[in-house]
Amino acid sequence: MDWSSLLEFNVSPLELVVRGTAIYWFLFLVFRFVLHRGVGGIGVADVLLVVLVADASQNAMTGGYTTTAEGLVLISTLVGWNYLLDWAALQFPVLARFVEPRPLLLIRRGRIVHRNLRAEHLTMADLHSHLRQSGVNKVAEVRRAYMESDGNLSVIRFDRGPSKTPTRSKAQK
């Protein structure tokens, strides 16, 4: 085995950083606005999409790299952007609103917000299932219910108060 060939650069490290940066931000925007909820809440179709996008974007990112050193630069670029974005979202609330979707109101004062159900591809049967898992029998018992950024449903009843349940929408199962 030729150890030096593993650590040499056939593609400029700067080119790898630029390619990695461009693909990272493109994919971030796609997944932020296509997959509305967090990764913990994605379903089989979403995982398949992630795998296919990763495969399709590989050549655009790599530019034909072949050595371990080039792979390490590319991976470091992607991890660096991810870390920097998480750090910046903690430091700057304006950026946090861009990075994470806000909770989406599904029920207001015992009435279903149908527009928001459609936006999350959540059926009435799914909503009622999530409510039952929260111990709610009727929509009229709910003061507010939110789809959280992580895909969980938070229910605030008229009589009790908040209860957060680890449920997922249909699109995230």
Side-chain angles (χ1 to χ4, degrees):
M1 177 186 289
D2 181 14
W3 290 98
S4 65
S5 68
L6 290 175
L7 301 176
E8 68 184 13
F9 286 94
N10 297 322
V11 176
S12 160
L14 179 60
E15 180 181 340
L16 290 170
V17 168
V18 170
R19 285 174 177 271
T21 297
I23 295 299
Y24 178 86
W25 283 105
F26 174 75
L27 292 178
F28 173 82
L29 293 172
V30 166
F31 288 119
R32 167 59 177 87
F33 295 107
V34 173
L35 299 176
H36 297 279
R37 301 299 160 184
V39 174
I42 64 175
V44 173
D46 298 325
V47 171
L48 178 60
L49 177 63
V50 169
V51 169
L52 292 174
V53 166
D55 185 50
S57 63
Q58 177 184 3
N59 289 334
M61 264 193 307
T62 62
Y65 82 89
T66 56
T67 69
T68 304
E70 292 167 337
L72 293 175
V73 169
L74 186 57
I75 291 167
S76 298
T77 300
L78 299 175
V79 170
W81 274 115
N82 197 56
Y83 178 82
L84 185 63
L85 189 60
D86 287 344
W87 176 85
L90 268 172
Q91 302 300 315
F92 306 103
V94 171
L95 184 60
R97 286 190 297 244
F98 172 72
V99 172
E100 286 291 324
R102 291 182 175 149
L104 184 67
L105 183 66
L106 299 178
I107 299 175
R108 180 187 309 126
R109 293 187 304 268
R111 294 181 182 241
I112 297 170
V113 182
H114 291 280
R115 180 184 75 237
N116 292 348
L117 280 182
R118 284 190 299 274
E120 286 301 313
H121 304 287
L122 193 64
T123 67
M124 292 294 291
D126 291 329
L127 178 63
H128 287 291
S129 171
H130 296 315
L131 292 174
R132 285 190 302 276
Q133 291 173 11
S134 298
V136 175
N137 295 318
K138 298 177 186 173
V139 173
E141 298 173 24
V142 178
R143 178 180 294 153
R144 291 189 183 274
Y146 296 93
M147 180 65 66
E148 301 293 343
S149 64
D150 62 0
N152 291 328
L153 187 71
S154 294
V155 177
I156 303 169
R157 298 181 191 191
F158 280 111
D159 61 335
R160 292 188 188 166
S163 69
K164 187 164 180 153
T165 58
T167 56
R168 308 244 185 263
S169 70
K170 180 179 178 186
Q172 297 164 332
K173 289 182 183 174

